[in-house]
Amino acid sequence: MTHRILVRLFALAALLMIPFAAPAQEANGPTGAVDATASIEAGGAEIPVERYRADGDAVLLWFPSEHGLQDGHRQQALALQAAGVETWLVDPFSGHFLPEAASSFDDMPTATVTDLIEATHTDTGRPVYAFGHDRALPWLLTGLYQWQQAHPEADYLAGLLMTSPFLHTGVDTDEAELQPIVRLTNLPVYILQPAQSPQRQHLGRIRSGLTEGSSAVGARLLPGIRDRFFFRPDATEAERLASETFHREIIFAMDLLTRLPHQRTPAVAEADTDLTVRTPSGTDAQLNALDEPVAAPPLERPDLAGDIHRLEDYRGEVVLINFWASWCPPCVHEMPSMQLLEDELRDQGFRILAVNLGEDKDTIRRFIEDEVQTEFTILLDPEQDSLDDWRAMAYPTSYVVDRKGRLRYYLFGAIEWTEPGVTDQIRDLLDDDA
């Protein structure tokens, strides 16, 4: 991963029939509220599904992200129901007795998806739209592909809606970084992408990958909002307003999907294609090591006092470069342990450069003073220019540079920096390069 490889790999994207198991009410129950939750046999388990009945022409089958089913989903389902769109909210975590976590998708049978599509269509007789977001997408796409393989002539899977699709592998290699299922997906797809999201930079790459698989792809940037805006406990006023109209975005997307070309026959995977679901979670208790050390890209940013810091000026020290934002809860959570790590290893030549992306100086200063009280160096990048050379696969993203200015470790997501495995990795660098 030289500078040239980083630029090539990480170039930023601009824009753009399974029967019911004893449901509590009749299948054609009243509209105007959620039916009592039904249990639907899918993927070898009884999956709870909240059904918001309506008399429209199609059904939206909504799969939650790694955060599980939230009240924000229910508010959207009620708004969709009032607009005539029947919505089924799925809870695969409870059904499979798995925690609400990204890693749970690796253990969920993808047959859950195929069985729920069949159950939805069998119950309603209508076209079915699937909807998923965040780290649920590799699992959901794989399930949809398997449904296509089993039903090559069926036309009632009308398309897929995605929000903040997390479809890269999280692996740092010279190969294409998208999950292989992306290029096997040929359903019509519509992406609703919050603009203030680390996934925004991958939107162009995802669209290209889907197009390679013969998907017809539409996309829309949602300005001024973050991932999970419709169920965030810390939602801004702009995000609350966006939540009130999000159901209209969904209805527009469903309408557009009906106009996009449909591929009925599934794509054919090459014999050596591995479609095992592996969901990047960023929760491992160690940093990811590069196969070989490579020269770090340039970094030159001002700190809060206006003084310029250049990565090359830190040659001879081991440097943790952390890309973050104050609105990112995992970023906030890991900062105290980052400070403890620098306190412990500073005398041995360890430094932290924490590059804030997209926020102004006053916001950052208030955050540091009121929230975390850290002392390591904060650098400013309000225009996110660093991302021309560095990749932020998620917030936070971190790199460790050795004393010779070479990239040695990386991590997409948060971690406890005082974990023994992490500190041992940093100590080894300090010892090896001394």
Side-chain angles (χ1 to χ4, degrees):
M1 185 176 61
T2 62
H3 174 59
R4 177 179 58 81
I5 294 172
L6 278 170
V7 171
R8 187 180 76 237
L9 285 178
F10 313 153
L12 297 177
L15 192 78
L16 297 215
M17 159 163 7
I18 305 300
F20 292 110
Q25 295 187 10
E26 294 182 4
N28 296 313
T31 61
V34 61
D35 284 359
T37 299
S39 293
I40 300 178
E41 185 180 346
E46 298 295 324
I47 306 299
V49 179
E50 297 179 14
R51 299 173 298 174
Y52 295 74
R53 297 292 192 183
D55 296 327
D57 297 330
V59 181
L60 184 67
L61 185 61
W62 194 330
F63 295 86
S65 70
E66 66 273 18
H67 301 280
L69 208 55
Q70 303 282 334
D71 286 342
H73 292 90
R74 298 180 176 96
Q75 292 165 4
Q76 296 302 320
L78 286 169
L80 288 165
Q81 181 187 53
V85 177
E86 182 161 331
T87 304
W88 291 25
L89 299 180
V90 178
D91 185 1
F93 298 100
S94 296
H96 290 294
F97 297 99
L98 291 168
E100 294 174 351
S103 59
S104 291
F105 290 113
D106 298 352
D107 299 322
M108 268 181 212
T110 50
T112 304
V113 177
T114 62
D115 292 347
L116 284 169
I117 293 169
E118 288 302 290
T120 306
H121 179 68
T122 299
D123 179 75
T124 66
R126 304 176 201 162
V128 178
Y129 294 84
F131 188 10
H133 44 107
D134 297 277
R135 286 172 169 84
L137 265 306
W139 172 79
L140 179 55
L141 286 183
T142 304
L144 295 174
Y145 178 69
Q146 292 172 348
W147 179 89
Q148 284 186 290
Q149 290 179 308
H151 306 84
E153 300 302 322
D155 62 358
Y156 50 85
L157 181 56
L160 170 64
L161 290 80
M162 301 194 293
T163 298
S164 297
F166 200 102
L167 286 169
H168 46 74
T169 63
V171 177
D172 194 32
T173 69
D174 290 346
E175 302 296 328
E177 65 187 273
L178 293 179
Q179 300 261 0
I181 190 61
V182 173
R183 292 182 173 87
L184 291 173
T185 297
N186 61 13
L187 293 166
V189 175
Y190 195 85
I191 304 172
L192 292 162
Q193 179 60 61
Q196 293 185 2
S197 160
Q199 301 314 312
R200 174 184 175 176
Q201 64 182 295
H202 306 295
L203 180 57
R205 188 177 296 109
I206 289 171
R207 293 186 71 183
S208 296
L210 290 166
T211 302
E212 286 180 31
S214 299
S215 280
V217 184
R220 171 166 155 71
L221 275 178
L222 304 178
I225 58 177
R226 301 169 288 173
D227 293 331
R228 308 183 303 279
F229 66 95
F230 60 93
F231 63 84
R232 297 184 71 101
D234 63 341
T236 65
E237 182 62 25
E239 288 164 346
R240 286 191 288 271
L241 291 173
S243 297
E244 294 177 3
T245 58
F246 187 42
H247 68 286
R248 299 176 192 166
E249 300 280 359
I250 295 170
I251 293 169
F252 175 83
M254 293 172 65
D255 180 66
L256 182 64
L257 286 172
T258 65
R259 307 167 192 270
L260 294 178
H262 284 59
Q263 296 285 339
R264 300 299 178 204
T265 304
V268 178
E270 296 182 3
D272 60 350
T273 302
D274 183 3
L275 293 181
T276 303
V277 178
R278 297 184 179 92
T279 308
S281 63
T283 59
D284 294 336
Q286 279 196 325
L287 306 174
N288 302 307
L290 274 72
D291 292 336
E292 295 182 3
V294 295
L299 180 68
E300 182 176 336
R301 304 304 309 169
D303 62 20
L304 287 167
D307 297 327
I308 299 297
H309 293 252
R310 301 174 181 84
L311 179 58
E312 62 187 30
D313 294 337
Y314 288 80
R315 196 66 53 85
E317 297 178 298
V318 173
V319 183
L320 165 61
I321 300 172
N322 176 264
F323 293 95
W324 68 285
S326 68
W327 47 258
C328 161
C331 301
V332 179
H333 178 78
E334 73 173 358
M335 280 185 159
S337 65
M338 289 169 57
Q339 184 63 62
L340 289 172
L341 183 65
E342 188 180 70
D343 290 344
E344 181 179 354
L345 300 178
R346 173 180 284 274
D347 290 344
Q348 299 175 45
F350 176 69
R351 297 292 185 273
I352 293 175
L353 300 178
V355 184
N356 179 275
L357 297 172
E359 298 181 282
D360 62 70
K361 183 187 305 184
D362 291 340
T363 297
I364 300 167
R365 183 177 285 112
R366 286 194 301 270
F367 171 77
I368 296 299
E369 292 174 353
D370 299 340
E371 300 293 334
V372 292
Q373 295 88 44
T374 53
E375 297 178 358
F376 52 73
T377 302
I378 302 292
L379 303 183
L380 310 179
D381 189 358
E383 302 301 324
Q384 305 186 54
D385 294 330
S386 303
L387 296 183
D388 289 337
D389 297 311
W390 298 81
R391 170 173 51 173
M393 296 281 287
Y395 283 15
T397 286
S398 299
Y399 296 92
V400 179
V401 179
D402 67 18
R403 295 184 192 269
K404 297 178 182 179
R406 303 174 300 178
L407 291 174
R408 300 295 294 273
Y409 295 107
Y410 65 95
L411 183 71
F412 307 130
I415 201 170
E416 288 293 333
W417 290 91
T418 52
E419 286 283 337
V422 176
T423 56
D424 287 347
Q425 288 176 301
I426 302 298
R427 288 182 184 278
D428 287 344
L429 277 187
L430 290 167
D431 292 340
D432 287 347
D433 295 336

